[in-house]
Amino acid sequence: MEHGRATSAVTMRDVAKAAGVSVATVSHVVNDKPGARIGDDARRRVHEAVAALGYRPNALAKTLSEGTSRFIGLVADAIATTPFAGQIIHGAQDEAWRHGFVLLVANTESNTAVENDAIAMMLEHQVRGILYSTWYHRRIDVPPLLQNTDTVLVNCFAEDDAFPAVVPDEEQGGRAATEGLLEAGHRRIAFINTTSPSPAQTGRLAGYRAALDAAGIAYDDALVFSAEPAQEGGYGAVGAVIESGATGVFCHNDRVAMGLYDGLRERGLRIPDDVAVMGFDNQDVIAAHLRPPLSTVALPHYELGAAGVRTLLGLEPAGAPDRLLVTCPLVPRASL
């Protein structure tokens, strides 16, 4: 028994000896070097030797020789600790693996010093590029260190569109939500929008208006309400919604819808018999477990992460002046 082989890493020289070829030939085969003139028989023997000996290429040496690695960085402000937004990591991880890359994740909790250290570490490891993501869709000031590598913004964008960005199509989502209520037969539809200035605030309102216009229904400002984007906001808007005579309500997010549910029930109104309710976000911990289950529009977090990786690798176009808009699908349940 060769005790040394059990504790020593298999080298390229070991593979060459077992395959009866030169070290250079092994290098060309395992690195799939373009243009290398190597016969089929020699390639077969190298692959068989690699499999038999369990050879693994030296990733660090390959990184130094090629100037890049098989790593993709993802720097996030808080998505790793936000249940539904954590799907961004899941989508990016799956897509990176699909193309032969491993995802390096740094969750910074919006700490600038931690963020800069994480980016610097990734640059030192010569990552293929970095995805920079936020847990909610917003404009950001891009960290200066990201100028030093290929960068794609995910669920956020730079004011001057200097970086490619992959973001949810808020307007399309608002339109889909309103169309869901229209298709259920409602014509007097209220919209409880957020008080927080954001792409979601303006985009979802634009989609609401576009859907009404396409259906030949005049926009009525008296049917649009502003509320805190939380359960308390929806609960507090109940009185105004009832007074408006709306038979269907599009809520800015699922938490607002949850508060609206509570307020409507307290007034003896049934969902959807008396008032139909539509949410936005598709937070499973809320939407699927309300009674009746809430119809909503999903924020496509998984696809945002996956599309970010494809954009970084040049497999999907995005960049100034256009952002890659990812569709927000309707998730119909029993509240319509």
Side-chain angles (χ1 to χ4, degrees), residues 27-171:
S27 176
H28 292 335
V29 172
V30 298
N31 292 308
D32 199 20
K33 186 174 180 180
R37 297 183 177 179
I38 300 170
D40 292 341
D41 183 62
R43 286 184 183 276
R44 177 186 56 77
R45 296 201 308 274
V46 169
H47 286 306
E48 288 177 352
V50 165
L53 298 175
Y55 172 72
R56 294 292 181 270
N58 186 318
L60 177 59
K62 190 172 183 180
T63 294
L64 293 173
S65 65
E66 295 181 356
T68 187
S69 70
R70 304 302 292 180
F71 294 115
I72 290 173
L74 189 151
V75 177
D77 61 353
I79 64 175
T81 53
T82 307
F84 66 101
Q87 286 293 310
I88 291 176
I89 293 176
H90 190 187
Q93 184 172 266
D94 285 353
E95 193 69 20
W97 185 253
R98 189 172 293 118
H99 297 288
F101 289 85
V102 173
L103 196 68
L104 298 179
V105 179
N107 191 62
T108 68
E109 296 297 333
S110 301
N111 183 310
T112 301
V114 172
E115 180 176 89
N116 286 334
D117 286 347
I119 295 171
M121 178 273 293
M122 290 177 181
L123 293 176
E124 288 172 4
H125 282 76
Q126 296 181 293
V127 292
R128 170 61 183 80
I130 294 177
L131 305 180
Y132 184 90
S133 185
T134 55
W135 77 270
Y136 71 94
H137 183 192
R138 61 186 174 92
R139 182 190 65 79
I140 63 164
D141 294 321
V142 180
L145 280 176
L146 291 179
Q147 298 279 357
N148 298 315
T149 189
D150 291 341
T151 297
V152 173
L153 307 180
V154 177
N155 208 32
C156 56
F157 59 94
E159 186 170 20
D160 56 1
D161 282 322
F163 289 81
V166 179
V167 297
D169 192 338
E170 303 282 7
E171 182 172 344

Side-chain angles (χ1 to χ4, degrees), residues 274-295:
D274 298 314
V275 181
V277 181
M278 174 72 70
F280 203 111
D281 286 353
N282 195 32
Q283 286 190 254
D284 283 342
V285 293
I286 297 175
H289 299 288
L290 289 176
R291 291 294 177 266
L294 176 66
S295 296

